[in-house]
Amino acid sequence: MTDIKYGQTETRDNVAQGRAAPAKPKDAEVITEENVFDRPDETMGFFPGQIVRDAVVSCLLLIACAVLSYAAPAPLAGPADPATVDYVPRPEWFFFFYEQMLMFFPGYALIAFGAVVIPGVFVVLLFALPWLDRTPVHSPVRRPFMTIIGVLVIVIVLLNMLLAVSRIINFPGQ
């Protein structure tokens, strides 16, 4: 058997022929920020660069929220008067779509359908979308099912927003 130099590996064919395998070059490519995305298996580190960026943006958002809450504070009404009967309670803004949905299904028999079934089907459909269409292409023209579902979701959201805004405009004191 021949002597194997440092950094060389021994293979069956090379041993049979009496020579050592050539060594693989070490550090053939240095990863920099310019060429890091040339090979998808090598990326830049997450820590500390991304952590610092996220912390800075989070602090800026927190400062913006604090400034906005100081500049335009939430209006506070007077204390509740239990003797009044003309007060009509309204839901918060994030429940307007739900109240509008219940307006389409009047009566006790249809409340469960409008309150549970319709929103439940909508939520289950949104959760099931990744399994319903697994086409690898990204073009909306080549994915008609996902395009139709996306347009329906946008239409439903816009209609609920318009219904909530129309309720606010038509009944401002309630």
Side-chain angles (χ1 to χ4, degrees):
M1 219 190 253
T2 60
D3 293 333
I4 297 176
K5 295 180 181 176
Y6 179 74
Q8 294 179 334
T9 57
E10 196 174 346
T11 62
R12 202 180 280 191
D13 294 335
N14 288 335
V15 171
Q17 294 175 1
R19 62 180 176 199
K24 293 182 181 178
K26 293 183 180 181
D27 299 324
E29 181 182 7
V30 176
I31 303 299
T32 62
E33 288 192 25
E34 288 81 24
N35 69 354
V36 69
F37 296 112
D38 292 343
R39 295 177 55 186
D41 58 337
E42 296 175 357
T43 59
M44 299 301 287
F46 180 76
F47 182 81
Q50 188 65 38
I51 299 292
V52 170
R53 288 186 199 111
D54 290 347
V56 167
V57 170
S58 298
C59 288
L60 290 176
L61 286 174
L62 183 64
I63 291 169
C65 286
V67 167
L68 285 174
S69 67
Y70 182 75
L76 297 176
D81 184 12
T84 185
V85 291
D86 60 348
Y87 176 73
V88 179
R90 284 187 35 209
E92 292 291 332
W93 64 270
F94 44 85
F95 283 122
F96 278 161
F97 78 95
Y98 208 57
E99 184 185 25
Q100 293 298 330
M101 184 69 71
L102 291 178
M103 292 177 124
F104 291 127
F105 301 102
Y108 289 112
L110 295 176
I111 285 179
F113 185 74
V116 177
V117 175
I118 299 290
V121 167
F122 185 71
V123 169
V124 167
L125 180 66
L126 287 179
F127 276 117
L129 280 180
W131 290 279
L132 292 176
D133 185 25
R134 303 197 48 156
T135 309
V137 295
H138 296 291
S139 172
V141 175
R142 295 181 62 195
R143 298 177 76 179
F145 177 74
M146 293 301 285
T147 304
I148 290 171
I149 296 297
V151 168
L152 285 177
V153 167
I154 291 170
V155 166
I156 288 172
V157 168
L158 287 177
L159 283 177
N160 278 315
M161 287 172 50
L162 288 175
L163 287 170
V165 168
S166 71
R167 176 154 178 125
I168 292 170
I169 291 172
N170 292 329
F171 305 107
Q174 294 182 0

